[in-house]
Amino acid sequence: MRGLTFQGNGDLRVENLPEPTVEQSTDAVIRITRSCICGSDLHIFRSGEEFGFEPGQRIGHEFIGTVEAVGDDVSQFKAGDRALSSAGVSCGDCEQCGEGHEYGCSSMSMFGWAPRIWAHGGAVQGGQSEYARVPLADYVLKPMPEALAAPEHEATVLPLTDVMSTGWHGLVSADLQPGQRVVVIGDGAVGLSAVHGASAKDAEQIIAIGHHQDRLDVAAQLGATTTINSSDQEAIAAQVAELTGGQGAHVVVDCVSNTPSMATAHATVRVGGTIACLGTDHFAGKTPEVNWYDQFVRNIQITGGLIPMGRYIPELLDEVQAGRLDPAPVLSHTLPLDDAADGYRLMHDRAEGVIKVALTP
Ligand SMILES: [Zn+2]
Ligand SMILES: [Zn+2]
């Protein structure tokens, strides 16, 4: 089969690889019909060696497809079923999974990531390929509803595997309520997904902040009531204050999570409000400075973090079927799998109009 492999920093190649097989009785093998490149995969592209990547390792944790084979102990799926994969493996049975902390499961591993970061449960190969082995398939795979199983729905469904779940996680962990005001910092795929989720959750005001006008136009299409194209923190704070009657936002979703974005979050959140941090620069060791004084004197909650793998996929599928969500616009480009390295280059260069690249085998 064809699959994208890491060969060294800045060097990704699609190669002929052995097809994965059912290795354990709880495994499934899925034939991937569409996958996509994550902003977090760019960390691997740029500096995978620092994360412990070895040449030949396969990348990709966002994929959907058709079940090809299952082990004897898989009861929820059979060959031919359409399914979405969670971004990582977790058991669904332990105390952590039961409480919605799948990232803390002892079986937890991200597909296509490095053992050094996320693989208490052992490394699993990535899904930017024709097939993938899915451990603990009964929990890790999520069934695709019949009404969404056709190929024309793939662009709507695929973002649920990670970016839409991540944007949603920011809103859930901040306990966003209908009628509240939301600021979303960052106009990448996760920021756009947070905007879209806030719209599905009936936020009254959704202010999207970024500095790419093409992406902010997509934010408006996905539900932003106002977009601010600026990186001038004082100007942003003044504009948000004006838009919110001097109050600020109940919820700020910070999809960048660096020191300047956290300062913007504190400057735009209301007293007693919540900041949800979803940025992945932490993986590159870039932990932001936080204004703990402001946190203390204005009782700001700080939350967010890693998504609980595929936990939100079923409820997000319900939102899609109810006509409240369609995150397809976050996938700006679709390329053949063989051109995957070009897709990374497009996203790395942040070319005009590029948000996120889907891959078709
Ligand atoms: Zn991802
Ligand atoms: Zn578990």
Side-chain angles (χ1 to χ4, degrees), residues 175-330:
D175 194 26
L176 176 70
Q177 298 298 313
Q180 290 190 326
R181 300 181 293 271
V182 182
V183 161
V184 176
I185 301 171
D187 53 16
V190 171
L192 297 174
S193 298
V195 162
H196 197 40
S199 160
K201 284 179 172 291
D202 293 323
E204 184 189 283
Q205 234 180 345
I206 305 167
I207 302 167
I209 299 169
H211 46 267
H212 303 88
Q213 193 53 48
D214 52 333
R215 296 179 181 190
L216 290 170
D217 292 343
V218 177
Q221 184 189 341
L222 289 173
T225 53
T226 309
T227 63
I228 300 177
N229 184 348
S230 176
S231 39
D232 177 338
Q233 190 204 317
E234 280 181 26
I236 292 168
Q239 202 172 341
V240 171
E242 193 186 326
L243 286 162
T244 59
Q247 295 289 312
H250 298 86
V251 170
V252 177
V253 182
D254 180 0
C255 305
V256 182
S257 306
N258 61 19
T259 297
S261 75
M262 281 299 285
T264 299
H266 278 271
T268 55
V269 71
R270 60 166 277 168
V271 64
T274 303
I275 299 168
C277 296
L278 302 176
T280 59
D281 267 1
H282 298 282
F283 305 145
K286 295 178 191 161
T287 302
E289 287 170 27
V290 173
N291 185 342
W292 291 111
Y293 178 78
D294 185 60
Q295 184 278 324
F296 187 78
V297 298
R298 295 200 304 130
N299 281 31
I300 307 302
Q301 320 295 315
I302 298 178
T303 182
L306 278 178
I307 55 164
M309 304 300 111
R311 188 178 191 87
Y312 299 125
I313 290 174
E315 71 189 74
L316 291 170
L317 286 166
D318 290 345
E319 295 286 326
V320 169
Q321 289 193 278
R324 294 161 62 81
L325 279 185
D326 182 358
V330 306

Side-chain angles (χ1 to χ4, degrees), residues 90-98 101-102 104-108 139:
S90 56
C91 78
D93 262 344
C94 68
E95 183 175 315
Q96 287 78 4
C97 287
H101 301 303
E102 278 83 345
C105 176
S106 60
S107 301
M108 190 278 205
Y139 190 65

